[in-house]
């Protein structure tokens, strides 16, 4: 069972990640926000690609669900941390972190 403190520790271990307030949540970002932690530390919203979102929700529907509305259609996915192992949480963070990297500059 993963916790909000696990999320914070694992996210901050990913290179380039910084933590900052975002509305009523804690946000973790590299070039862009890739996960936000709810104030109750029981859920988090991950920014996945639509393909990664579909896979996570298919494989672990008790843990992952699209955020309702347009945010969910963009890949934002709510995770119930208690339904994830620390290893599953780490994999989800790495997936979202990878997609939030700075885009290469065009020449």
């Amino acid at each position: 069972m993963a916790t909000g403190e696990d999320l914070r520790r694992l996210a901050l271990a990913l290179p380039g990640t910084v933590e900052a307030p975002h509305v009523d949540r804690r946000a973790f970002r590299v070039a862009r926000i890739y996960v936000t932690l709810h104030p109750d530390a029981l859920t988090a919203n991950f920014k996945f690609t639509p393909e990664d979102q579909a896979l996570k929700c298919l494989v672990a529907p008790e843990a992952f669900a699209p955020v309702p509305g347009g945010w969910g259609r963009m890949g934002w996915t709510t995770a119930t941390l208690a339904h994830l192992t620390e290893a599953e949480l780490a994999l989800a963070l790495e997936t979202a972190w990878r997609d939030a990297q700075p885009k290469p500059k065009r020449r």
Side-chain angles (χ1 to χ4, degrees), residues 5-106:
E5 190 51 43
D6 292 331
L7 182 141
R8 184 175 188 276
R9 178 178 45 78
L10 292 167
L12 290 174
L14 293 169
T17 296
V18 295
E19 178 182 5
H22 179 73
V23 190
D24 66 337
R25 296 172 174 258
R26 301 301 298 168
F28 300 86
R29 67 181 307 138
V30 278
R32 292 178 303 283
I33 294 172
Y34 64 92
V35 66
T36 61
L37 181 62
H38 191 275
D40 67 12
L42 300 176
T43 62
N45 287 343
F46 288 81
K47 175 59 171 93
F48 294 132
T49 64
E51 297 79 16
D52 286 333
Q53 178 192 59
L55 180 62
K56 295 284 187 197
C57 293
L58 178 68
V59 172
E62 70 288 349
F64 294 102
V67 170
W71 289 103
R73 288 190 295 278
M74 291 187 294
W76 283 98
T77 307
T78 298
T80 303
L81 299 177
H83 291 292
L84 296 172
T85 66
E86 190 172 321
E88 291 166 332
L89 174 60
L91 181 59
L93 285 165
E94 289 168 17
T95 299
W97 170 84
R98 182 184 63 240
D99 293 331
Q101 297 299 308
K103 301 295 182 204
K105 292 184 180 181
R106 293 181 180 214

